[in-house]
Amino acid sequence: MSLIKQIFNIQSDEEFEQIALQLFNLQYNQNKIYQSFCDLLKVNPEEITSLEKIPFLPIEFFKSHQVVTGNFVPQQIFLSSGTTTGKNQSKHLVKDLKVYEESFTKGFNQFYGGVEDYCFLALLPSYMEREGSSLIYMTEYLVKNSNHPLSGFYLDEYVKLIETIKELQSRNQKTILIGVSFALLDFTEQHKVDLSGIIIMETGGMKGRRKELTRTELHKIYKESFNVAPIHSEYGMTELLSQAYSFGEGVYQSPAWMQVLIRDINDPFTFLSAQKTGGVNVIDLANVDSCAFIATQDLGKKNADNTFEILGRFDNSDLRGCNLLIN
């Protein structure tokens, strides 16, 4: 069985760890940037025998280096939003888009069921304004593969969007309205509309367009304006090929091939137990051709049931497009 097939068929935590250690050795040997990082830490790969011993590459390396495992011509380069003036965008070189498609499709299926059962309505104006957005790629794929004639991107066409939603409600059609935080907020301010029965999924990111609101404040506005509870969320980023989902209250679940560990803020090589706040490290095994072990600039905590929460970001980190929300 190929490594990719193994990754997307993980059945247990033990299997996850086994494949993660296998992938660590592959990436240590074939990813020059990751190997150099490990060598600077004086890591002996033979001593890496558990998830907690694996070195996590700081996410900033995606801004300054080509983080690739092996040599290949990328089929796609995903770019971060690059909202901070003078800073380089993160670049994720994707060898095979089918891996990304399999990851987000199987992840969605795990938590929501078949893509073809839904109508997808997208309010992602800022992402439409630039090239190389992994979020736009995913959403376009979901829109197309839903095979629903009303699925699509609505930008600022709020009247048309409202009419579409009313038609979908009348048919009892399962529908997801996916949008960045500020776009959904703009919608609430211009129209108070009953979206009961519709799944509202925010992808985070005020992107400097608005005063930052806490997740609680933001979701309260959505709930009152849309007559919807709870508010769903998607947690993803340019440097990952997988997403976690929240069904409300900002508590995220990961697909079987993605796990989160929480590192001590003052000692990045020490990991914290449940309910303690620290830096979010992500293992995304779908990143088989880049780096699967990433130390993000998000702050969060992990719960005893392996769900996790995003509580904010390090003060010195760049603004990013996905989930800037402070708890």
Side-chain angles (χ1 to χ4, degrees), residues 166-178:
K166 287 180 178 177
E167 183 175 346
L168 293 166
Q169 287 171 319
S170 70
R171 300 179 186 176
N172 292 319
Q173 169 63 50
K174 292 168 71 174
T175 301
I176 293 178
L177 173 60
I178 182 170

Side-chain angles (χ1 to χ4, degrees), residues 249-252 260-265 271-279 299-311 327:
E249 307 307 322
V251 178
Y252 291 92
V260 161
L261 285 75
I262 305 298
R263 69 182 185 272
D264 188 294
I265 294 171
F271 293 94
L272 303 178
S273 56
Q275 297 300 318
K276 293 187 177 180
T277 299
L299 290 169
K301 64 180 180 180
K302 196 170 180 178
N303 301 316
D305 60 358
N306 280 333
T307 60
F308 67 95
E309 300 173 46
I310 300 299
L311 306 178
N327 200 359

Side-chain angles (χ1 to χ4, degrees), residues 36 48 82 96 100 121 173 192 197 202 212-213 231 296 313:
S36 296
I48 305 301
D96 185 358
Y100 182 42
L121 311 175
Q173 169 63 50
K192 190 166 184 178
E202 57 93 2
E212 291 290 338
L213 298 174
I231 304 299
T296 78
R313 294 187 55 74

Side-chain angles (χ1 to χ4, degrees), residues 100-148:
Y100 182 42
E101 292 167 1
E102 185 167 7
S103 178
F104 66 66
T105 301
K106 285 196 170 183
F108 184 89
N109 290 346
Q110 180 177 333
F111 297 116
Y112 290 96
V115 171
E116 66 279 1
D117 294 334
Y118 288 86
C119 178
F120 293 90
L121 311 175
L123 274 177
L124 303 169
S126 57
Y127 289 85
M128 296 294 288
E129 294 166 3
R130 63 183 178 85
E131 295 182 0
S133 165
S134 57
L135 177 59
I136 288 293
Y137 187 93
M138 178 180 74
T139 308
E140 285 181 335
Y141 184 97
L142 295 175
V143 164
K144 180 180 178 182
N145 286 273
S146 70
N147 293 319
H148 197 287

